Amino acid sequence: MTRHALGLGGLLLMGAAIAAVGTLSHRVYPFFGVIAVVAMTFTGALFARAWHDWAGLALYSGAWALVVFLLAQEGPGGSVLIVEDALGYTYLLGSAAAIVLVSFTPSFLIKGRENVA
């Protein structure tokens, strides 16, 4: 039980960390940075679903969405981290689509089938 809870807590922290890194670095190298961050989000979601199935994916994606929402707010000086341009929209929509894609992936493609020859 403790091991399961620690695993879910780790996925919560991983979702928050990937969201923070993605939000802060998606503009570093235009378009390559966005592709790398979307791939990182996809890989994290795939790992979360493979490790703890739906509960893991829910915690990962919830933490990701919360951190991205908080970091997307306007700062005290009027600055923003996710600008309303092609890079910002590609990061937000691409990462969200990556998480949705993982949620629609059949389980046997992620974990394999049992009782196979």
Side-chain angles (χ1 to χ4, degrees):
M1 179 68 178
T2 304
R3 195 176 211 185
H4 186 71
L6 287 174
L8 291 174
L11 290 176
L12 193 70
L13 290 174
M14 185 178 76
I18 286 177
V21 168
T23 301
L24 296 173
S25 65
H26 73 277
R27 300 187 69 83
V28 173
Y29 297 106
F31 291 112
F32 174 73
V34 172
I35 292 169
V37 169
V38 170
M40 182 174 60
T41 304
F42 175 80
T43 305
L46 193 63
F47 176 75
R49 179 140 181 238
W51 192 17
H52 282 287
D53 208 32
W54 293 109
L57 183 62
L59 283 174
Y60 170 84
S61 59
W64 181 88
L66 180 67
V67 169
V68 168
F69 173 76
L70 291 174
L71 291 177
Q73 302 299 312
E74 189 172 309
S79 62
V80 291
L81 293 174
I82 301 176
V83 181
E84 294 181 20
D85 63 353
L87 289 175
Y89 286 130
T90 304
Y91 165 61
L92 285 176
L93 298 176
S95 294
I99 293 172
V100 169
L101 180 66
V102 169
S103 70
F104 281 114
T105 304
S107 292
F108 70 88
L109 290 177
I110 296 173
K111 295 182 179 183
R113 295 182 191 224
E114 293 187 28
N115 301 327
V116 177

